Amino acid sequence: MRRWQPFLLVFFVSCAANATAFGQPPGTVDFQRDIRPILANRCFKCHGPAKQESGMRLDTREGAMKRKAVVPGKPDASRLLERVLAETEERMPPEEAGDQLKPAQIELLKKWIAQGAEYSPHWAFTKPKPAPSPKVKDAKWVKNPIDAFILARLEKEGLTPSPEADAHTLIRRVTLDLTGLLPTPAETDAFVKDYTSAPSIRDAALEKLVDRLLASPHYGERQTRHWLDLARYAESEGFKSDETRPNAWRYRDYVIKSFNENKPYDRFVKEQLAGDELFPNDPWARVATAFNRHYPDESNARVLAQRRQEILDDITDTVGATFLSMTYGCARCHDHKFDPILHTDYYRLQAFFANTSADDQISMIPPDALQLYEAKRANWEKTSQPVRDKIVALLAPQKAAILKEFVDKYPPEIQAVITKAPADR
């Protein structure tokens, strides 16, 4: 999956460029950047999607033009400006709503209306377009297109780039970023020797370092933790109990394996959403479907229909947040107020998972995964047992003192019950 990570970086730079109105003529007012925050914070509570006082709605261009709150190209004829500039009780927002608009905000509204009062959608819902690289003064500093955007902003703020990192700092940063571990002294010495031997081979030395780290099994372990957060992965229930999930490790190992094998992202997604259907002969693809099985489950729920619905809601919310990057869960109860998701869309998506059973479990285990896990567990128990025994011995006096202090607070008949061995209770 390493091949799609650089693409995402370029994508986000492109989106950021669009979001900050790169390439627009100087003085151009951008709706999403400049106007929407003003309307959302001061107007939408009474004139937004949920409520329209006096029949006026300002969150859409059609609604704003319907009551002539906004007359494109004509600030003086727009009721919105008339009300925010009023000196009487008609001034908006009303006094009880909080602070009035500041002069700079009113000026932005004037410019926006004069420029045509365009309501542009949020940049996340528009097709990204390549943004032209901004011109910079120190062109020699730029090594790739992304550098140009960074340097342009630094120059705008009157700042200069930090000095180039030395070899020791560089290997530390790169190793921590890719594996989450510190480089060993031997690795550091080898890299410093390569990197400082001649300026002409610095790039080659850095590429060699990155290739070595990408080939390390620790690379997958480091990157996996971010994905496991999205999948709400846990090895215990965490919901009114600490019951373990004995099969959870299989999904974790699947994600590690996927990163280390540089699996294409489209295949990675398909396996987790429908691996059992799309790749029935691949046992790892069946394990991948555990993405939708890490829901917090109330195992003692008595209303099974409710339990099943809560599981389906959790799956739908997680799929929306992970693969659509949206707060999809808002549409569970109503049309989304800020994103273009209908209440019906939520349950249309949920229908794909409606055949999921609350007790659905992974049954096909790749033999190599099981053998690897058993070997790791046996080795861990062998090496950690002496340490665990020592810790238990060190804590025994404190544990006994705490128990005695706790027990002494109760009457003798209660103390007798508390101090019984678990098997005798």
Side-chain angles (χ1 to χ4, degrees), residues 125-181:
F125 300 105
T126 60
K127 184 178 180 179
K129 299 177 181 179
S133 296
K135 294 181 179 180
V136 295
K137 298 175 184 177
D138 186 9
K140 292 183 179 180
W141 187 85
V142 177
K143 294 184 178 180
N144 60 63
I146 298 175
D147 288 347
F149 289 95
I150 296 172
L151 184 58
R153 184 56 185 267
L154 289 175
E155 290 179 348
K156 179 182 178 182
E157 301 296 335
L159 303 173
T160 56
S162 299
E164 188 172 315
D166 60 77
H168 289 85
T169 302
L170 193 57
I171 185 175
R172 186 177 187 275
R173 289 177 179 172
V174 174
T175 307
L176 280 171
D177 273 350
L178 294 181
T179 67
L181 303 171

Tab-separated table of all heavy atoms in Angstrom, residues 125-181:
chain	number	residue	atom	x	y	z
A	125	PHE	N	-16.141	18.042	-1.432
A	125	PHE	CA	-17.138	17.486	-2.339
A	125	PHE	C	-16.970	17.994	-3.772
A	125	PHE	O	-17.861	17.866	-4.588
A	125	PHE	CB	-18.549	17.821	-1.839
A	125	PHE	CG	-18.829	17.268	-0.481
A	125	PHE	CD1	-18.853	18.088	0.634
A	125	PHE	CD2	-19.051	15.908	-0.304
A	125	PHE	CE1	-19.097	17.567	1.899
A	125	PHE	CE2	-19.290	15.388	0.952
A	125	PHE	CZ	-19.307	16.213	2.045
A	126	THR	N	-15.832	18.570	-4.059
A	126	THR	CA	-15.542	18.996	-5.417
A	126	THR	C	-14.368	18.196	-5.955
A	126	THR	O	-13.479	17.795	-5.197
A	126	THR	CB	-15.201	20.500	-5.475
A	126	THR	OG1	-14.050	20.749	-4.655
A	126	THR	CG2	-16.362	21.333	-4.981
A	127	LYS	N	-14.360	17.965	-7.236
A	127	LYS	CA	-13.285	17.196	-7.858
A	127	LYS	C	-11.980	17.971	-7.740
A	127	LYS	O	-11.894	19.126	-8.155
A	127	LYS	CB	-13.616	16.939	-9.324
A	127	LYS	CG	-12.595	16.059	-10.036
A	127	LYS	CD	-13.013	15.800	-11.473
A	127	LYS	CE	-11.999	14.910	-12.185
A	127	LYS	NZ	-12.400	14.637	-13.590
A	128	PRO	N	-10.959	17.362	-7.150
A	128	PRO	CA	-9.693	18.093	-6.998
A	128	PRO	C	-9.058	18.394	-8.347
A	128	PRO	O	-9.077	17.569	-9.256
A	128	PRO	CB	-8.828	17.143	-6.161
A	128	PRO	CG	-9.401	15.788	-6.385
A	128	PRO	CD	-10.873	15.993	-6.596
A	129	LYS	N	-8.499	19.576	-8.449
A	129	LYS	CA	-7.809	19.988	-9.663
A	129	LYS	C	-6.370	20.330	-9.320
A	129	LYS	O	-6.101	20.896	-8.256
A	129	LYS	CB	-8.502	21.207	-10.282
A	129	LYS	CG	-9.942	20.974	-10.698
A	129	LYS	CD	-10.570	22.259	-11.242
A	129	LYS	CE	-12.021	22.045	-11.631
A	129	LYS	NZ	-12.648	23.304	-12.138
A	130	PRO	N	-5.452	19.984	-10.195
A	130	PRO	CA	-4.046	20.337	-9.931
A	130	PRO	C	-3.900	21.843	-9.754
A	130	PRO	O	-4.379	22.623	-10.574
A	130	PRO	CB	-3.306	19.836	-11.169
A	130	PRO	CG	-4.212	18.810	-11.776
A	130	PRO	CD	-5.608	19.254	-11.467
A	131	ALA	N	-3.290	22.237	-8.677
A	131	ALA	CA	-3.085	23.657	-8.423
A	131	ALA	C	-1.727	24.067	-8.990
A	131	ALA	O	-0.735	23.351	-8.805
A	131	ALA	CB	-3.134	23.943	-6.930
A	132	PRO	N	-1.639	25.166	-9.678
A	132	PRO	CA	-0.348	25.613	-10.213
A	132	PRO	C	0.624	25.916	-9.080
A	132	PRO	O	0.236	26.486	-8.056
A	132	PRO	CB	-0.711	26.880	-11.000
A	132	PRO	CG	-1.991	27.355	-10.392
A	132	PRO	CD	-2.730	26.128	-9.966
A	133	SER	N	1.865	25.537	-9.266
A	133	SER	CA	2.869	25.797	-8.231
A	133	SER	C	3.072	27.299	-8.081
A	133	SER	O	3.272	27.999	-9.081
A	133	SER	CB	4.191	25.129	-8.598
A	133	SER	OG	4.047	23.733	-8.634
A	134	PRO	N	3.011	27.801	-6.879
A	134	PRO	CA	3.203	29.244	-6.679
A	134	PRO	C	4.653	29.656	-6.950
A	134	PRO	O	5.577	28.856	-6.794
A	134	PRO	CB	2.831	29.443	-5.208
A	134	PRO	CG	3.094	28.118	-4.575
A	134	PRO	CD	2.764	27.098	-5.611
A	135	LYS	N	4.838	30.880	-7.356
A	135	LYS	CA	6.192	31.379	-7.594
A	135	LYS	C	6.856	31.697	-6.255
A	135	LYS	O	6.234	32.238	-5.346
A	135	LYS	CB	6.136	32.626	-8.466
A	135	LYS	CG	5.641	32.355	-9.888
A	135	LYS	CD	5.637	33.631	-10.719
A	135	LYS	CE	5.167	33.345	-12.138
A	135	LYS	NZ	5.151	34.582	-12.973
A	136	VAL	N	8.132	31.369	-6.156
A	136	VAL	CA	8.882	31.600	-4.915
A	136	VAL	C	10.172	32.338	-5.251
A	136	VAL	O	10.655	32.317	-6.388
A	136	VAL	CB	9.204	30.272	-4.195
A	136	VAL	CG1	7.933	29.591	-3.734
A	136	VAL	CG2	9.995	29.338	-5.103
A	137	LYS	N	10.729	32.978	-4.256
A	137	LYS	CA	11.965	33.731	-4.459
A	137	LYS	C	13.173	32.802	-4.513
A	137	LYS	O	14.041	32.959	-5.362
A	137	LYS	CB	12.131	34.744	-3.311
A	137	LYS	CG	11.017	35.786	-3.241
A	137	LYS	CD	11.190	36.678	-2.019
A	137	LYS	CE	10.028	37.666	-1.897
A	137	LYS	NZ	10.158	38.495	-0.662
A	138	ASP	N	13.216	31.843	-3.592
A	138	ASP	CA	14.366	30.937	-3.515
A	138	ASP	C	14.047	29.632	-4.245
A	138	ASP	O	13.804	28.597	-3.628
A	138	ASP	CB	14.713	30.669	-2.043
A	138	ASP	CG	15.991	29.864	-1.890
A	138	ASP	OD1	16.698	29.666	-2.898
A	138	ASP	OD2	16.279	29.421	-0.755
A	139	ALA	N	14.046	29.687	-5.581
A	139	ALA	CA	13.656	28.525	-6.374
A	139	ALA	C	14.610	27.350	-6.183
A	139	ALA	O	14.221	26.194	-6.372
A	139	ALA	CB	13.588	28.904	-7.854
A	140	LYS	N	15.855	27.607	-5.811
A	140	LYS	CA	16.830	26.525	-5.641
A	140	LYS	C	16.480	25.631	-4.460
A	140	LYS	O	16.897	24.476	-4.408
A	140	LYS	CB	18.226	27.122	-5.450
A	140	LYS	CG	18.772	27.820	-6.687
A	140	LYS	CD	20.185	28.326	-6.435
A	140	LYS	CE	20.743	29.011	-7.667
A	140	LYS	NZ	22.117	29.524	-7.449
A	141	TRP	N	15.702	26.168	-3.505
A	141	TRP	CA	15.348	25.372	-2.317
A	141	TRP	C	14.319	24.305	-2.662
A	141	TRP	O	14.226	23.281	-1.985
A	141	TRP	CB	14.786	26.309	-1.241
A	141	TRP	CG	14.545	25.649	0.074
A	141	TRP	CD1	15.446	25.445	1.078
A	141	TRP	CD2	13.305	25.087	0.545
A	141	TRP	NE1	14.856	24.807	2.134
A	141	TRP	CE2	13.530	24.565	1.839
A	141	TRP	CE3	12.034	24.981	-0.002
A	141	TRP	CZ2	12.541	23.959	2.593
A	141	TRP	CZ3	11.047	24.371	0.753
A	141	TRP	CH2	11.288	23.862	2.023
A	142	VAL	N	13.558	24.508	-3.716
A	142	VAL	CA	12.462	23.611	-4.089
A	142	VAL	C	13.008	22.366	-4.779
A	142	VAL	O	13.685	22.455	-5.804
A	142	VAL	CB	11.462	24.335	-5.020
A	142	VAL	CG1	10.368	23.378	-5.470
A	142	VAL	CG2	10.871	25.544	-4.310
A	143	LYS	N	12.694	21.203	-4.207
A	143	LYS	CA	13.120	19.930	-4.798
A	143	LYS	C	11.963	19.144	-5.387
A	143	LYS	O	12.170	18.214	-6.148
A	143	LYS	CB	13.841	19.086	-3.738
A	143	LYS	CG	15.153	19.693	-3.266
A	143	LYS	CD	15.860	18.771	-2.283
A	143	LYS	CE	17.197	19.357	-1.832
A	143	LYS	NZ	17.890	18.458	-0.865
A	144	ASN	N	10.736	19.463	-4.986
A	144	ASN	CA	9.561	18.809	-5.551
A	144	ASN	C	8.398	19.799	-5.471
A	144	ASN	O	8.484	20.818	-4.786
A	144	ASN	CB	9.234	17.498	-4.812
A	144	ASN	CG	8.946	17.724	-3.341
A	144	ASN	OD1	7.980	18.400	-2.985
A	144	ASN	ND2	9.787	17.169	-2.473
A	145	PRO	N	7.286	19.548	-6.193
A	145	PRO	CA	6.180	20.521	-6.232
A	145	PRO	C	5.630	20.897	-4.868
A	145	PRO	O	5.189	22.031	-4.664
A	145	PRO	CB	5.132	19.808	-7.095
A	145	PRO	CG	5.920	18.869	-7.947
A	145	PRO	CD	7.055	18.405	-7.103
A	146	ILE	N	5.643	19.962	-3.923
A	146	ILE	CA	5.099	20.257	-2.592
A	146	ILE	C	5.940	21.327	-1.898
A	146	ILE	O	5.415	22.203	-1.196
A	146	ILE	CB	5.023	18.972	-1.745
A	146	ILE	CG1	4.073	17.972	-2.399
A	146	ILE	CG2	4.586	19.280	-0.323
A	146	ILE	CD1	4.030	16.626	-1.709
A	147	ASP	N	7.258	21.270	-2.110
A	147	ASP	CA	8.134	22.260	-1.490
A	147	ASP	C	7.743	23.682	-1.874
A	147	ASP	O	7.868	24.614	-1.075
A	147	ASP	CB	9.589	22.007	-1.906
A	147	ASP	CG	10.187	20.766	-1.249
A	147	ASP	OD1	9.564	20.254	-0.303
A	147	ASP	OD2	11.257	20.329	-1.682
A	148	ALA	N	7.276	23.853	-3.111
A	148	ALA	CA	6.925	25.196	-3.573
A	148	ALA	C	5.790	25.788	-2.752
A	148	ALA	O	5.813	26.982	-2.411
A	148	ALA	CB	6.542	25.147	-5.057
A	149	PHE	N	4.795	24.971	-2.403
A	149	PHE	CA	3.673	25.463	-1.600
A	149	PHE	C	4.141	25.820	-0.182
A	149	PHE	O	3.724	26.822	0.395
A	149	PHE	CB	2.568	24.413	-1.542
A	149	PHE	CG	1.834	24.238	-2.835
A	149	PHE	CD1	2.193	23.246	-3.732
A	149	PHE	CD2	0.783	25.069	-3.174
A	149	PHE	CE1	1.519	23.085	-4.933
A	149	PHE	CE2	0.095	24.922	-4.364
A	149	PHE	CZ	0.466	23.928	-5.247
A	150	ILE	N	5.010	24.974	0.366
A	150	ILE	CA	5.516	25.230	1.721
A	150	ILE	C	6.340	26.508	1.746
A	150	ILE	O	6.146	27.377	2.609
A	150	ILE	CB	6.355	24.034	2.203
A	150	ILE	CG1	5.482	22.775	2.324
A	150	ILE	CG2	7.024	24.341	3.533
A	150	ILE	CD1	6.257	21.513	2.610
A	151	LEU	N	7.239	26.642	0.770
A	151	LEU	CA	8.111	27.813	0.748
A	151	LEU	C	7.320	29.090	0.471
A	151	LEU	O	7.620	30.153	1.035
A	151	LEU	CB	9.211	27.624	-0.299
A	151	LEU	CG	10.261	28.741	-0.363
A	151	LEU	CD1	10.950	28.910	0.987
A	151	LEU	CD2	11.293	28.460	-1.452
A	152	ALA	N	6.304	29.009	-0.391
A	152	ALA	CA	5.500	30.194	-0.691
A	152	ALA	C	4.842	30.739	0.567
A	152	ALA	O	4.802	31.956	0.786
A	152	ALA	CB	4.441	29.852	-1.743
A	153	ARG	N	4.335	29.833	1.420
A	153	ARG	CA	3.696	30.286	2.659
A	153	ARG	C	4.733	30.853	3.634
A	153	ARG	O	4.478	31.866	4.313
A	153	ARG	CB	2.929	29.132	3.310
A	153	ARG	CG	2.157	29.545	4.557
A	153	ARG	CD	1.188	30.694	4.236
A	153	ARG	NE	0.531	31.175	5.422
A	153	ARG	CZ	-0.662	30.720	5.849
A	153	ARG	NH1	-1.297	29.803	5.156
A	153	ARG	NH2	-1.199	31.204	6.945
A	154	LEU	N	5.905	30.216	3.702
A	154	LEU	CA	6.949	30.726	4.586
A	154	LEU	C	7.372	32.132	4.162
A	154	LEU	O	7.526	33.033	4.999
A	154	LEU	CB	8.160	29.787	4.558
A	154	LEU	CG	7.990	28.418	5.233
A	154	LEU	CD1	9.223	27.559	5.010
A	154	LEU	CD2	7.756	28.588	6.734
A	155	GLU	N	7.548	32.319	2.837
A	155	GLU	CA	7.953	33.627	2.345
A	155	GLU	C	6.860	34.665	2.585
A	155	GLU	O	7.150	35.824	2.893
A	155	GLU	CB	8.297	33.528	0.860
A	155	GLU	CG	9.580	32.738	0.600
A	155	GLU	CD	9.908	32.610	-0.877
A	155	GLU	OE1	9.042	32.937	-1.716
A	155	GLU	OE2	11.032	32.187	-1.194
A	156	LYS	N	5.611	34.253	2.474
A	156	LYS	CA	4.498	35.170	2.723
A	156	LYS	C	4.515	35.667	4.164
A	156	LYS	O	4.190	36.827	4.453
A	156	LYS	CB	3.167	34.470	2.424
A	156	LYS	CG	1.953	35.341	2.669
A	156	LYS	CD	0.664	34.569	2.392
A	156	LYS	CE	-0.566	35.429	2.688
A	156	LYS	NZ	-1.826	34.668	2.460
A	157	GLU	N	4.894	34.777	5.101
A	157	GLU	CA	4.928	35.130	6.523
A	157	GLU	C	6.266	35.737	6.935
A	157	GLU	O	6.489	36.009	8.118
A	157	GLU	CB	4.655	33.883	7.376
A	157	GLU	CG	3.318	33.218	7.110
A	157	GLU	CD	2.140	34.091	7.463
A	157	GLU	OE1	2.310	34.978	8.333
A	157	GLU	OE2	1.048	33.906	6.880
A	158	GLY	N	7.172	35.903	5.952
A	158	GLY	CA	8.473	36.479	6.272
A	158	GLY	C	9.393	35.524	6.998
A	158	GLY	O	10.281	35.950	7.754
A	159	LEU	N	9.200	34.226	6.796
A	159	LEU	CA	10.003	33.204	7.465
A	159	LEU	C	10.930	32.527	6.470
A	159	LEU	O	10.716	32.574	5.257
A	159	LEU	CB	9.094	32.159	8.120
A	159	LEU	CG	8.080	32.694	9.132
A	159	LEU	CD1	7.137	31.581	9.568
A	159	LEU	CD2	8.788	33.291	10.344
A	160	THR	N	11.945	31.891	6.988
A	160	THR	CA	12.861	31.120	6.148
A	160	THR	C	12.845	29.665	6.599
A	160	THR	O	12.597	29.377	7.787
A	160	THR	CB	14.302	31.661	6.251
A	160	THR	OG1	14.702	31.664	7.631
A	160	THR	CG2	14.386	33.074	5.703
A	161	PRO	N	13.099	28.729	5.697
A	161	PRO	CA	13.092	27.313	6.080
A	161	PRO	C	14.157	27.012	7.129
A	161	PRO	O	15.191	27.686	7.201
A	161	PRO	CB	13.399	26.591	4.757
A	161	PRO	CG	13.069	27.574	3.685
A	161	PRO	CD	13.344	28.916	4.257
A	162	SER	N	13.887	26.005	7.944
A	162	SER	CA	14.879	25.556	8.914
A	162	SER	C	16.087	24.979	8.176
A	162	SER	O	15.958	24.507	7.042
A	162	SER	CB	14.277	24.491	9.830
A	162	SER	OG	13.189	25.015	10.552
A	163	PRO	N	17.250	24.982	8.811
A	163	PRO	CA	18.428	24.385	8.165
A	163	PRO	C	18.202	22.898	7.901
A	163	PRO	O	17.422	22.238	8.594
A	163	PRO	CB	19.540	24.591	9.196
A	163	PRO	CG	19.049	25.689	10.086
A	163	PRO	CD	17.562	25.571	10.113
A	164	GLU	N	18.872	22.370	6.913
A	164	GLU	CA	18.754	20.946	6.589
A	164	GLU	C	19.239	20.114	7.758
A	164	GLU	O	20.250	20.426	8.393
A	164	GLU	CB	19.582	20.651	5.337
A	164	GLU	CG	19.375	19.257	4.791
A	164	GLU	CD	20.049	19.055	3.445
A	164	GLU	OE1	19.911	19.947	2.589
A	164	GLU	OE2	20.711	18.022	3.267
A	165	ALA	N	18.523	19.045	8.082
A	165	ALA	CA	18.871	18.192	9.219
A	165	ALA	C	20.197	17.484	8.971
A	165	ALA	O	20.504	17.103	7.836
A	165	ALA	CB	17.768	17.174	9.466
A	166	ASP	N	20.962	17.295	10.036
A	166	ASP	CA	22.204	16.533	9.897
A	166	ASP	C	21.884	15.049	9.794
A	166	ASP	O	20.743	14.618	10.017
A	166	ASP	CB	23.132	16.797	11.087
A	166	ASP	CG	22.494	16.391	12.409
A	166	ASP	OD1	22.457	15.192	12.704
A	166	ASP	OD2	22.011	17.296	13.137
A	167	ALA	N	22.876	14.253	9.475
A	167	ALA	CA	22.669	12.833	9.201
A	167	ALA	C	22.119	12.087	10.417
A	167	ALA	O	21.246	11.222	10.285
A	167	ALA	CB	23.978	12.195	8.732
A	168	HIS	N	22.614	12.399	11.600
A	168	HIS	CA	22.144	11.719	12.811
A	168	HIS	C	20.656	12.002	13.051
A	168	HIS	O	19.872	11.092	13.370
A	168	HIS	CB	22.957	12.157	14.034
A	168	HIS	CG	24.355	11.636	14.060
A	168	HIS	ND1	25.391	12.268	13.418
A	168	HIS	CD2	24.886	10.525	14.648
A	168	HIS	CE1	26.519	11.590	13.616
A	168	HIS	NE2	26.237	10.535	14.357
A	169	THR	N	20.263	13.263	12.892
A	169	THR	CA	18.859	13.631	13.086
A	169	THR	C	17.979	12.998	12.017
A	169	THR	O	16.872	12.531	12.297
A	169	THR	CB	18.706	15.160	13.046
A	169	THR	OG1	19.531	15.745	14.057
A	169	THR	CG2	17.258	15.566	13.274
A	170	LEU	N	18.483	12.969	10.785
A	170	LEU	CA	17.702	12.458	9.667
A	170	LEU	C	17.366	10.987	9.834
A	170	LEU	O	16.204	10.578	9.668
A	170	LEU	CB	18.473	12.677	8.357
A	170	LEU	CG	17.698	12.487	7.061
A	170	LEU	CD1	16.482	13.403	7.021
A	170	LEU	CD2	18.602	12.753	5.862
A	171	ILE	N	18.335	10.163	10.189
A	171	ILE	CA	18.046	8.726	10.328
A	171	ILE	C	17.122	8.494	11.515
A	171	ILE	O	16.264	7.602	11.478
A	171	ILE	CB	19.345	7.896	10.473
A	171	ILE	CG1	18.980	6.400	10.499
A	171	ILE	CG2	20.139	8.292	11.703
A	171	ILE	CD1	20.171	5.473	10.509
A	172	ARG	N	17.244	9.307	12.550
A	172	ARG	CA	16.342	9.153	13.701
A	172	ARG	C	14.908	9.460	13.301
A	172	ARG	O	13.985	8.715	13.632
A	172	ARG	CB	16.796	10.070	14.831
A	172	ARG	CG	16.028	9.898	16.142
A	172	ARG	CD	16.613	10.802	17.216
A	172	ARG	NE	16.010	10.547	18.513
A	172	ARG	CZ	14.881	11.081	18.945
A	172	ARG	NH1	14.209	11.900	18.158
A	172	ARG	NH2	14.400	10.782	20.139
A	173	ARG	N	14.706	10.565	12.571
A	173	ARG	CA	13.356	10.947	12.159
A	173	ARG	C	12.749	9.909	11.219
A	173	ARG	O	11.592	9.491	11.391
A	173	ARG	CB	13.403	12.304	11.455
A	173	ARG	CG	13.677	13.481	12.374
A	173	ARG	CD	13.786	14.766	11.558
A	173	ARG	NE	14.029	15.928	12.399
A	173	ARG	CZ	14.305	17.137	11.917
A	173	ARG	NH1	14.356	17.328	10.598
A	173	ARG	NH2	14.509	18.151	12.729
A	174	VAL	N	13.508	9.509	10.216
A	174	VAL	CA	12.972	8.582	9.214
A	174	VAL	C	12.657	7.226	9.848
A	174	VAL	O	11.607	6.634	9.568
A	174	VAL	CB	13.968	8.414	8.047
A	174	VAL	CG1	13.479	7.344	7.070
A	174	VAL	CG2	14.152	9.740	7.320
A	175	THR	N	13.528	6.743	10.711
A	175	THR	CA	13.303	5.438	11.335
A	175	THR	C	12.098	5.467	12.265
A	175	THR	O	11.286	4.534	12.279
A	175	THR	CB	14.563	4.994	12.115
A	175	THR	OG1	15.701	5.063	11.249
A	175	THR	CG2	14.408	3.556	12.606
A	176	LEU	N	11.955	6.536	13.037
A	176	LEU	CA	10.782	6.656	13.910
A	176	LEU	C	9.507	6.763	13.093
A	176	LEU	O	8.478	6.168	13.433
A	176	LEU	CB	10.930	7.875	14.814
A	176	LEU	CG	11.823	7.714	16.047
A	176	LEU	CD1	12.057	9.059	16.716
A	176	LEU	CD2	11.209	6.736	17.040
A	177	ASP	N	9.538	7.527	12.010
A	177	ASP	CA	8.348	7.692	11.165
A	177	ASP	C	7.891	6.370	10.554
A	177	ASP	O	6.688	6.073	10.521
A	177	ASP	CB	8.630	8.689	10.031
A	177	ASP	CG	8.370	10.119	10.462
A	177	ASP	OD1	7.802	10.303	11.551
A	177	ASP	OD2	8.727	11.043	9.723
A	178	LEU	N	8.827	5.577	10.062
A	178	LEU	CA	8.458	4.381	9.309
A	178	LEU	C	8.308	3.130	10.166
A	178	LEU	O	7.550	2.224	9.811
A	178	LEU	CB	9.496	4.122	8.205
A	178	LEU	CG	9.554	5.180	7.096
A	178	LEU	CD1	10.599	4.813	6.058
A	178	LEU	CD2	8.192	5.331	6.421
A	179	THR	N	9.017	3.057	11.284
A	179	THR	CA	8.939	1.833	12.095
A	179	THR	C	8.513	2.089	13.533
A	179	THR	O	8.183	1.142	14.245
A	179	THR	CB	10.304	1.103	12.120
A	179	THR	OG1	11.265	1.904	12.842
A	179	THR	CG2	10.812	0.841	10.712
A	180	GLY	N	8.553	3.340	13.977
A	180	GLY	CA	8.215	3.627	15.366
A	180	GLY	C	9.313	3.256	16.337
A	180	GLY	O	9.125	3.340	17.553
A	181	LEU	N	10.471	2.862	15.828
A	181	LEU	CA	11.597	2.437	16.664
A	181	LEU	C	12.796	3.343	16.411
A	181	LEU	O	12.913	3.971	15.352
A	181	LEU	CB	11.982	0.993	16.351
A	181	LEU	CG	10.878	-0.053	16.509
A	181	LEU	CD1	11.341	-1.394	15.963
A	181	LEU	CD2	10.465	-0.185	17.964
